[in-house]
Amino acid sequence: MTPATIIATPAKESPLLFEGMTWREFKAVEGLLDRPGYRLSFLDGVLEIRKMPGEDHETVKERIGALLELYLLMAGFDFTPTGSMTLESESGAVKREADKSYKLAPGKVRPDLAIEVVFTSGGINKLEAYKRLKIPEVWLWEDGVLEVYHLRVDDTGTYYEKISQSEEVKGINLELLLRCINMVNHVDAIKTFQQSL
């Protein structure tokens, strides 16, 4: 018998977007809206305001974190979870907070991995934001699908390439990870993943 999986996802909400702001105006608004219940992002003069996520979002986010951290421990990574730490660059005109982020070795200035759980539609381009923040790898979970992007630099510039295996978390079985992320019961998901390691 296969474990039950998450079948339905709630309707997606759209964030509030305000265009044509300078970095200075954004920082002023950010100071005024520094209150629980909202998350602000900024890219190229566009302020994005989202309500803090609900239970479904938080369940998936925490499941991904629990499974990933189990793998990182078992695989011998010297990692530091950096959660939803604020990542910003005035010169890049960007501010973003990942749902989860990780430094995968000691002495790193910024996270090696950012994870986004998407239950909303629209808004600023997440990959463009992370590209400007120079985050090496981004995982996007949406509607039961996990997409992995790795930052590349070549003669044409900097871009994210969609890849089938993580280059930052070497050896992780992404198919098994996704199956466990999408299971209904958290404990069953952890046990299933652990038994395969």
Side-chain angles (χ1 to χ4, degrees), residues 67-83:
L67 295 169
L68 177 59
E69 289 178 28
L70 176 60
Y71 178 81
L72 294 172
L73 280 169
M74 300 292 286
F77 281 79
D78 187 358
F79 70 98
T80 303
T82 50

PDB file of all heavy atoms in Angstrom, residues 67-83:
ATOM      1  N   LEU A  67      12.943  17.008   6.022  1.00  0.00           N
ATOM      2  CA  LEU A  67      13.529  15.979   5.158  1.00  0.00           C
ATOM      3  C   LEU A  67      14.929  16.368   4.706  1.00  0.00           C
ATOM      4  O   LEU A  67      15.859  15.550   4.740  1.00  0.00           O
ATOM      5  CB  LEU A  67      12.623  15.745   3.941  1.00  0.00           C
ATOM      6  CG  LEU A  67      11.235  15.169   4.234  1.00  0.00           C
ATOM      7  CD1 LEU A  67      10.352  15.252   2.992  1.00  0.00           C
ATOM      8  CD2 LEU A  67      11.329  13.749   4.751  1.00  0.00           C
ATOM      9  N   LEU A  68      15.081  17.606   4.295  1.00  0.00           N
ATOM     10  CA  LEU A  68      16.385  18.067   3.820  1.00  0.00           C
ATOM     11  C   LEU A  68      17.422  18.013   4.945  1.00  0.00           C
ATOM     12  O   LEU A  68      18.543  17.540   4.743  1.00  0.00           O
ATOM     13  CB  LEU A  68      16.277  19.480   3.258  1.00  0.00           C
ATOM     14  CG  LEU A  68      17.590  20.117   2.793  1.00  0.00           C
ATOM     15  CD1 LEU A  68      18.259  19.282   1.708  1.00  0.00           C
ATOM     16  CD2 LEU A  68      17.344  21.542   2.304  1.00  0.00           C
ATOM     17  N   GLU A  69      17.057  18.474   6.120  1.00  0.00           N
ATOM     18  CA  GLU A  69      18.012  18.478   7.234  1.00  0.00           C
ATOM     19  C   GLU A  69      18.390  17.060   7.644  1.00  0.00           C
ATOM     20  O   GLU A  69      19.545  16.799   7.997  1.00  0.00           O
ATOM     21  CB  GLU A  69      17.467  19.300   8.399  1.00  0.00           C
ATOM     22  CG  GLU A  69      17.472  20.786   8.066  1.00  0.00           C
ATOM     23  CD  GLU A  69      16.896  21.672   9.147  1.00  0.00           C
ATOM     24  OE1 GLU A  69      16.954  21.290  10.338  1.00  0.00           O
ATOM     25  OE2 GLU A  69      16.393  22.760   8.805  1.00  0.00           O
ATOM     26  N   LEU A  70      17.447  16.130   7.575  1.00  0.00           N
ATOM     27  CA  LEU A  70      17.763  14.727   7.844  1.00  0.00           C
ATOM     28  C   LEU A  70      18.807  14.235   6.844  1.00  0.00           C
ATOM     29  O   LEU A  70      19.809  13.618   7.218  1.00  0.00           O
ATOM     30  CB  LEU A  70      16.486  13.876   7.762  1.00  0.00           C
ATOM     31  CG  LEU A  70      16.659  12.376   7.929  1.00  0.00           C
ATOM     32  CD1 LEU A  70      17.264  12.029   9.284  1.00  0.00           C
ATOM     33  CD2 LEU A  70      15.301  11.685   7.747  1.00  0.00           C
ATOM     34  N   TYR A  71      18.592  14.542   5.572  1.00  0.00           N
ATOM     35  CA  TYR A  71      19.551  14.132   4.540  1.00  0.00           C
ATOM     36  C   TYR A  71      20.917  14.784   4.774  1.00  0.00           C
ATOM     37  O   TYR A  71      21.950  14.106   4.703  1.00  0.00           O
ATOM     38  CB  TYR A  71      19.044  14.479   3.134  1.00  0.00           C
ATOM     39  CG  TYR A  71      20.066  14.091   2.092  1.00  0.00           C
ATOM     40  CD1 TYR A  71      20.164  12.777   1.660  1.00  0.00           C
ATOM     41  CD2 TYR A  71      20.979  15.022   1.610  1.00  0.00           C
ATOM     42  CE1 TYR A  71      21.136  12.396   0.739  1.00  0.00           C
ATOM     43  CE2 TYR A  71      21.959  14.649   0.691  1.00  0.00           C
ATOM     44  CZ  TYR A  71      22.034  13.339   0.270  1.00  0.00           C
ATOM     45  OH  TYR A  71      23.008  12.959  -0.625  1.00  0.00           O
ATOM     46  N   LEU A  72      20.934  16.091   5.028  1.00  0.00           N
ATOM     47  CA  LEU A  72      22.200  16.803   5.226  1.00  0.00           C
ATOM     48  C   LEU A  72      22.988  16.227   6.402  1.00  0.00           C
ATOM     49  O   LEU A  72      24.220  16.074   6.320  1.00  0.00           O
ATOM     50  CB  LEU A  72      21.946  18.298   5.429  1.00  0.00           C
ATOM     51  CG  LEU A  72      21.381  19.063   4.222  1.00  0.00           C
ATOM     52  CD1 LEU A  72      20.994  20.483   4.628  1.00  0.00           C
ATOM     53  CD2 LEU A  72      22.363  19.074   3.062  1.00  0.00           C
ATOM     54  N   LEU A  73      22.292  15.875   7.480  1.00  0.00           N
ATOM     55  CA  LEU A  73      22.959  15.257   8.637  1.00  0.00           C
ATOM     56  C   LEU A  73      23.550  13.901   8.255  1.00  0.00           C
ATOM     57  O   LEU A  73      24.714  13.620   8.540  1.00  0.00           O
ATOM     58  CB  LEU A  73      21.965  15.071   9.784  1.00  0.00           C
ATOM     59  CG  LEU A  73      21.667  16.293  10.630  1.00  0.00           C
ATOM     60  CD1 LEU A  73      20.478  16.024  11.541  1.00  0.00           C
ATOM     61  CD2 LEU A  73      22.889  16.689  11.453  1.00  0.00           C
ATOM     62  N   MET A  74      22.736  13.070   7.606  1.00  0.00           N
ATOM     63  CA  MET A  74      23.170  11.724   7.248  1.00  0.00           C
ATOM     64  C   MET A  74      24.299  11.746   6.216  1.00  0.00           C
ATOM     65  O   MET A  74      25.168  10.882   6.224  1.00  0.00           O
ATOM     66  CB  MET A  74      21.986  10.910   6.704  1.00  0.00           C
ATOM     67  CG  MET A  74      20.836  10.746   7.684  1.00  0.00           C
ATOM     68  SD  MET A  74      21.219   9.726   9.106  1.00  0.00           S
ATOM     69  CE  MET A  74      21.213   8.118   8.370  1.00  0.00           C
ATOM     70  N   ALA A  75      24.295  12.755   5.331  1.00  0.00           N
ATOM     71  CA  ALA A  75      25.307  12.834   4.271  1.00  0.00           C
ATOM     72  C   ALA A  75      26.578  13.555   4.731  1.00  0.00           C
ATOM     73  O   ALA A  75      27.534  13.664   3.972  1.00  0.00           O
ATOM     74  CB  ALA A  75      24.721  13.542   3.050  1.00  0.00           C
ATOM     75  N   GLY A  76      26.576  14.074   5.966  1.00  0.00           N
ATOM     76  CA  GLY A  76      27.786  14.674   6.524  1.00  0.00           C
ATOM     77  C   GLY A  76      28.037  16.128   6.147  1.00  0.00           C
ATOM     78  O   GLY A  76      29.164  16.605   6.257  1.00  0.00           O
ATOM     79  N   PHE A  77      27.006  16.843   5.736  1.00  0.00           N
ATOM     80  CA  PHE A  77      27.168  18.279   5.447  1.00  0.00           C
ATOM     81  C   PHE A  77      27.354  19.049   6.751  1.00  0.00           C
ATOM     82  O   PHE A  77      26.697  18.765   7.747  1.00  0.00           O
ATOM     83  CB  PHE A  77      25.919  18.839   4.750  1.00  0.00           C
ATOM     84  CG  PHE A  77      25.830  18.538   3.277  1.00  0.00           C
ATOM     85  CD1 PHE A  77      25.409  17.299   2.828  1.00  0.00           C
ATOM     86  CD2 PHE A  77      26.149  19.509   2.345  1.00  0.00           C
ATOM     87  CE1 PHE A  77      25.303  17.023   1.478  1.00  0.00           C
ATOM     88  CE2 PHE A  77      26.049  19.248   0.989  1.00  0.00           C
ATOM     89  CZ  PHE A  77      25.632  17.997   0.554  1.00  0.00           C
ATOM     90  N   ASP A  78      28.241  20.043   6.746  1.00  0.00           N
ATOM     91  CA  ASP A  78      28.392  20.963   7.872  1.00  0.00           C
ATOM     92  C   ASP A  78      27.546  22.192   7.525  1.00  0.00           C
ATOM     93  O   ASP A  78      28.044  23.197   7.038  1.00  0.00           O
ATOM     94  CB  ASP A  78      29.867  21.344   8.052  1.00  0.00           C
ATOM     95  CG  ASP A  78      30.097  22.175   9.311  1.00  0.00           C
ATOM     96  OD1 ASP A  78      29.116  22.484  10.015  1.00  0.00           O
ATOM     97  OD2 ASP A  78      31.260  22.533   9.569  1.00  0.00           O
ATOM     98  N   PHE A  79      26.232  22.080   7.744  1.00  0.00           N
ATOM     99  CA  PHE A  79      25.292  23.078   7.248  1.00  0.00           C
ATOM    100  C   PHE A  79      24.751  23.979   8.353  1.00  0.00           C
ATOM    101  O   PHE A  79      24.806  23.638   9.529  1.00  0.00           O
ATOM    102  CB  PHE A  79      24.123  22.401   6.523  1.00  0.00           C
ATOM    103  CG  PHE A  79      23.189  21.638   7.437  1.00  0.00           C
ATOM    104  CD1 PHE A  79      22.011  22.217   7.884  1.00  0.00           C
ATOM    105  CD2 PHE A  79      23.480  20.343   7.831  1.00  0.00           C
ATOM    106  CE1 PHE A  79      21.140  21.523   8.713  1.00  0.00           C
ATOM    107  CE2 PHE A  79      22.625  19.638   8.664  1.00  0.00           C
ATOM    108  CZ  PHE A  79      21.451  20.222   9.107  1.00  0.00           C
ATOM    109  N   THR A  80      24.224  25.120   7.943  1.00  0.00           N
ATOM    110  CA  THR A  80      23.556  26.046   8.852  1.00  0.00           C
ATOM    111  C   THR A  80      22.220  26.443   8.241  1.00  0.00           C
ATOM    112  O   THR A  80      22.188  27.026   7.156  1.00  0.00           O
ATOM    113  CB  THR A  80      24.388  27.328   9.070  1.00  0.00           C
ATOM    114  OG1 THR A  80      25.675  26.963   9.568  1.00  0.00           O
ATOM    115  CG2 THR A  80      23.703  28.277  10.032  1.00  0.00           C
ATOM    116  N   PRO A  81      21.094  26.104   8.922  1.00  0.00           N
ATOM    117  CA  PRO A  81      19.816  26.576   8.419  1.00  0.00           C
ATOM    118  C   PRO A  81      19.707  28.085   8.668  1.00  0.00           C
ATOM    119  O   PRO A  81      19.983  28.548   9.767  1.00  0.00           O
ATOM    120  CB  PRO A  81      18.779  25.804   9.238  1.00  0.00           C
ATOM    121  CG  PRO A  81      19.514  25.122  10.328  1.00  0.00           C
ATOM    122  CD  PRO A  81      20.976  25.283  10.112  1.00  0.00           C
ATOM    123  N   THR A  82      19.352  28.838   7.643  1.00  0.00           N
ATOM    124  CA  THR A  82      19.240  30.294   7.785  1.00  0.00           C
ATOM    125  C   THR A  82      17.799  30.768   7.603  1.00  0.00           C
ATOM    126  O   THR A  82      17.549  31.968   7.513  1.00  0.00           O
ATOM    127  CB  THR A  82      20.191  31.004   6.801  1.00  0.00           C
ATOM    128  OG1 THR A  82      20.022  30.466   5.486  1.00  0.00           O
ATOM    129  CG2 THR A  82      21.642  30.828   7.218  1.00  0.00           C
ATOM    130  N   GLY A  83      16.853  29.833   7.549  1.00  0.00           N
ATOM    131  CA  GLY A  83      15.433  30.151   7.577  1.00  0.00           C
ATOM    132  C   GLY A  83      14.994  31.163   6.534  1.00  0.00           C
ATOM    133  O   GLY A  83      15.366  31.092   5.373  1.00  0.00           O
TER     134      GLY A  83
END
